[in-house]
């Protein structure tokens, strides 16, 4: 009973700005949110992306804009909010939407409800302590997205230079940055090659 009361008290005292995502009414906080509460860090520090995170987003967006049929697809970024169930939403680093499906929604200040065709995630800003490790969080978010109608989820992790590809009713697999994977419609991407083309070595 005490732990439940403590959890409810914590939820009341944590500002909504420190909530990274929401899953069935249960908040997922930003990494180091408690250090913001204690004054050790600012809100901007925990919400910001690292150099390698935003640079990879830039490279992938540049690649998509060059190779993707933008008459057929719309690319969203900037932690696009996707509401996939009541009291549930996830932030998406890069999302590729079917233009016709997305245009059925009004352009307003709410989170998008149309499932993207492809979601690309680079690491995470989520607090992982209740998950134990990154893999548990990644599996949960991936399953949520696929069950919500996303056709493909791709994770790019910088700490081990890996890429995970997940599709519903297909075998998930993890490979290296130097492997070539399909994004959508036969368009292939190779993270290591993108970096080399920019003259960047990690």
């Amino acid at each position: 009973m005490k732990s439940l009361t403590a959890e409810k008290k914590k939820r009341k005292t944590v500002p909504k700005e420190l909530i990274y995502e929401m899953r069935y009414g249960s908040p997922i906080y930003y990494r180091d949110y408690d250090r913001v509460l204690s004054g050790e860090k600012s809100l901007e520090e925990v919400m910001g992306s690292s150099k390698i995170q935003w640079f990879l987003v830039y490279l992938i967006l540049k690649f998509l804009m060059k190779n993707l049929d933008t008459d057929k697809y719309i690319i969203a970024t900037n932690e696009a909010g996707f509401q996939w169930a009541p009291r549930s939403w996830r932030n998406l680093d890069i999302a590729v939407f079917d233009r016709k499906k997305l245009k059925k929604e009004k352009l307003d200040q709410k989170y998008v409800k149309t499932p993207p065709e492809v979601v690309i995630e680079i690491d995470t800003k989520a607090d992982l302590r209740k998950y134990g490790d990154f893999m548990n969080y990644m599996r949960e978010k991936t399953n949520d997205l696929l069950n919500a109608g996303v056709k493909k989820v791709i994770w790019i992790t910088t700490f081990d230079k890996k890429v995970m590809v997940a599709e519903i009713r297909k075998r998930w697999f993890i490979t290296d940055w130097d492997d070539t994977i399909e994004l959508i419609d036969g368009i292939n991407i190779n993270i290591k090659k993108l970096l080399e083309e920019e003259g960047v070595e990690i």
Side-chain angles (χ1 to χ4, degrees):
M1 182 65 70
K2 287 184 179 180
S3 60
L4 182 61
T5 304
E7 178 64 23
K8 287 183 177 178
K9 185 177 181 181
K10 182 176 78 171
R11 290 187 189 180
K12 289 180 181 178
T13 56
V14 177
K16 64 180 182 180
E17 291 82 8
L18 287 171
I19 298 175
Y20 179 65
E21 295 173 325
M22 186 74 71
R23 189 173 193 270
Y24 301 117
S26 178
I28 300 168
Y29 299 110
Y30 275 96
R31 181 178 57 245
D32 290 337
Y33 75 94
D34 50 342
R35 297 182 69 182
V36 176
L37 296 176
S38 67
E40 295 177 62
K41 285 192 172 187
S42 68
L43 180 63
E44 291 75 13
E45 283 180 288
V46 299
M47 294 176 68
S49 297
S50 68
K51 287 179 286 184
I52 190 168
Q53 284 176 315
W54 65 252
F55 192 75
L56 285 172
V57 169
Y58 156 73
L59 285 182
I60 295 167
L61 283 175
K62 179 181 174 182
F63 176 85
L64 288 173
M65 293 301 296
K66 182 179 178 181
N67 294 279
L68 199 66
D69 182 355
T70 52
D71 289 329
K72 184 178 179 182
Y73 298 108
I74 291 176
I75 307 165
T77 185
N78 194 31
E79 300 285 7
F82 171 47
Q83 186 177 354
W84 50 276
R87 301 176 68 205
S88 303
W89 48 270
R90 293 288 191 176
N91 280 327
L92 310 177
D93 287 335
I94 300 172
V96 178
F97 290 91
D98 181 291
R99 181 178 286 272
K100 288 182 180 178
K101 294 177 183 177
L102 186 61
K103 287 183 74 174
K104 292 178 181 178
E105 289 194 35
K106 292 181 179 179
L107 192 63
D108 53 30
Q109 294 182 331
K110 297 178 181 179
Y111 289 148
V112 68
K113 293 184 178 180
T114 302
E117 303 298 296
V118 179
V119 168
I120 303 172
E121 292 289 296
I122 301 168
D123 297 334
T124 185
K125 299 184 183 78
D127 183 79
L128 301 175
R129 281 171 285 189
K130 73 175 182 179
Y131 291 96
D133 60 24
F134 174 77
M135 291 297 292
N136 287 328
Y137 168 82
M138 181 174 69
R139 280 191 293 267
E140 179 186 86
K141 182 169 182 175
T142 300
N143 276 315
D144 285 345
L145 294 175
L146 293 177
N147 290 334
V150 178
K151 293 181 179 176
K152 182 181 288 186
V153 179
I154 298 170
W155 283 87
I156 299 168
T157 49
T158 63
F159 55 87
D160 57 0
K161 298 181 182 178
K162 299 290 184 181
V163 179
M164 188 195 81
V165 181
E167 297 177 79
I168 198 161
R169 291 186 294 276
K170 288 189 178 181
R171 180 180 61 88
W172 298 15
F173 66 90
I174 297 175
T175 187
D176 297 313
W177 276 14
D178 60 359
D179 199 0
T180 298
I181 61 167
E182 182 183 3
L183 290 179
I184 191 171
D185 292 352
I187 298 171
N188 298 319
I189 192 170
N190 183 303
I191 300 302
K192 184 180 180 183
K193 192 172 291 184
L194 284 183
L195 289 165
E196 289 174 346
E197 288 172 355
E198 287 286 328
V200 176
E201 186 175 339
I202 305 299

